[in-house]
Amino acid sequence: MKMNELLGKRLLVLGGKAASVNVVQLAHRMGIETYVTGIDEKGQAKEIADHTFLVGSEEHDKLIRIIKENRIDGVMTGSAEFQIQQMIKLCSKAGLPCYATEEQWNATQDKRNFKDLCRKYGVPGVPEYSVDEVLSDSDFPVIVKPVDGCSSIGISVCRNNDELQVAKQKALEASAVKKIIIEKYIENGGLTHVIKYVVVDGKFYMEIMGDRHVLNNGLITAITFFPSRNTELYMNTIDSKVKDMFLSIGFNNGVFFFQALPDGDNIYVYEMGLRTGGGMTYKITEATSGNNDLEMLINYALSGRMCDEHENLSIDPFLKGKQAASLALPLRTGRIAKVIGMELIPQMEGVVNYTHFCDVGDSILPKHINTLSQLFGRIMVVRNSKKELFESLKTIRDTISVLDIDGNEMIIWDTFDRIYNDSVL
């Protein structure tokens, strides 16, 4: 959509906290007036909004009144799944555009429904065990997770039956519907893939694929490299099946992403999000191929179109030959007392985005470990070659520090250091 067609449009953004900040910032850049709602009086998104309301995202009747009284043109939110569910319901009631329906959400976000859908269309999934099955020693390790979970909450890796019983209970407690899944845990050095799609008027574009390295002995991301070493393999073996699968549920406009596990010549899809990811890969695609899928979703919310029909979409999963990385900053438990060097990050060569989630005085508690709440922030870097990329990443590594009240380093660098040392040897 042309920028001048959006000037003066009014966008209601659900959720006033950090997850919605990028939506508000981008909307302002597009010349859009923002109205942010949420139950908290303060929040990072509310602080930069044009207008705010102290209304919960599930209070649809109140929100519809706000929409009518303020002549709101569309509704949008960030990557939080609860907010997206409320957005889908609210748009349906208010008669406003939304890229997904409740039926599509239920078909893809419930892990059991998603696995069944993948099986039907030949999209390879991770080998699975029955919840009541008695596992032998050779079946381990396995991974246990709630069917309706997100942000790594309720997920455990088990190496024996004793650990499995504890993990089942943990997953059940994290599941609103009290259902869990048990899958074979693929041991491949902690490597997974993230695969992102953009859909415009029924045409599917694979936008980006990355190699995601999880934290040593953990479940959350330490660093992701783009493009993936397996991009061609995925496109040749799975891409067409994914398109058929999403056409079958009538998904014609929007974005979605997969998480997948490489195992030799196999790639197993194990989870997905019917949304733009919290990893904000649109920052990388905008800096390389020129496409921003969050901007396209805002376009759709305000007009019912992802982009102008005559626009030549600039989407290239190989990033026009550039190399990129998304560096996460996972923390150890403790209270943040001092942050060093972070103010220098935005000016460093190749840095296209820096987002922080914690501040001095915040604490990382045991309950935050292996969830996204463990991250201090995320830094995205784009360079012309792998050599340049690792030079930038090493400079960041040597510059920044997060210290606890005893002066100990809180950033966990183990995974990055291993990958960096392997790359330069």
Side-chain angles (χ1 to χ4, degrees), residues 235-425:
M235 295 182 75
N236 291 334
T237 58
I238 301 177
D239 180 60
S240 62
K241 298 174 182 178
V242 166
K243 293 174 181 177
D244 290 340
M245 181 170 70
F246 275 84
L247 283 173
S248 75
I249 62 172
F251 194 78
N252 293 314
N253 287 282
V255 303
F256 62 87
F257 67 88
F258 292 127
Q259 294 181 37
L261 284 164
D263 184 25
D265 292 332
N266 298 311
I267 299 176
Y268 298 118
V269 171
Y270 68 91
E271 198 163 310
M272 73 155 292
L274 197 65
R275 55 183 171 86
T276 190
M280 300 183 294
T281 54
Y282 49 82
K283 297 287 187 179
I284 290 174
T285 56
E286 185 174 46
T288 53
S289 56
N291 187 67
N292 185 320
D293 57 70
L294 179 60
E295 180 177 331
M296 297 175 84
L297 288 180
I298 293 174
N299 281 338
Y300 194 85
L302 294 170
S303 69
R305 290 187 292 161
M306 292 286 283
C307 57
D308 188 87
E309 61 182 349
H310 301 297
E311 187 175 344
N312 181 24
L313 289 175
S314 179
I315 296 177
D316 177 11
F318 295 98
L319 306 182
K320 307 293 186 182
K322 294 184 180 295
Q323 298 289 319
S326 177
L327 174 65
L329 302 174
L331 301 181
R332 294 180 174 85
T333 55
R335 185 177 182 184
I336 300 172
K338 189 175 183 179
V339 177
I340 301 172
M342 294 297 176
E343 73 281 359
L344 303 175
I345 298 301
Q347 287 75 45
M348 290 184 178
E349 188 171 8
V351 173
V352 298
N353 181 255
Y354 164 54
T355 303
H356 77 275
F357 311 122
C358 302
D359 295 295
V360 171
D362 291 342
S363 295
I364 304 299
L365 304 175
K367 69 179 181 180
H368 297 143
I369 300 303
N370 284 327
T371 76
L372 295 183
S373 297
Q374 187 181 354
L375 296 185
F376 179 85
R378 185 179 286 112
I379 303 167
M380 297 187 177
V381 183
V382 175
R383 299 300 303 271
N384 291 319
S385 67
K386 286 186 178 180
K387 181 176 183 295
E388 290 182 355
L389 180 64
F390 274 101
E391 287 174 353
S392 291
L393 293 171
K394 185 62 165 57
T395 299
I396 293 169
R397 164 72 170 93
D398 294 340
T399 301
I400 63 176
S401 184
V402 177
L403 304 179
D404 65 15
I405 56 177
D406 296 319
N408 299 314
E409 179 62 65
M410 292 183 69
I411 301 177
I412 304 173
W413 289 111
D414 302 15
T415 302
F416 172 80
D417 289 344
R418 170 176 56 81
I419 294 170
Y420 176 79
N421 291 333
D422 288 346
S423 74
V424 297
L425 291 177

Side-chain angles (χ1 to χ4, degrees), residues 135-137 139-142 144 157-167:
L135 302 186
S136 63
D137 291 343
D139 293 324
F140 290 97
V142 298
V144 183
V157 175
C158 314
R159 300 187 180 278
N160 56 57
N161 271 297
D162 289 340
E163 292 180 359
L164 177 59
Q165 299 312 310
V166 175

Side-chain angles (χ1 to χ4, degrees), residues 104-115:
Q104 291 165 347
W105 181 268
N106 292 333
T108 58
Q109 297 313 111
D110 180 286
K111 292 180 175 64
R112 166 53 54 213
N113 292 342
F114 177 60
K115 287 179 73 73

Side-chain angles (χ1 to χ4, degrees), residues 18 38 53 140 194 221 310:
F53 300 93
F140 290 97
V194 58
T221 306
H310 301 297

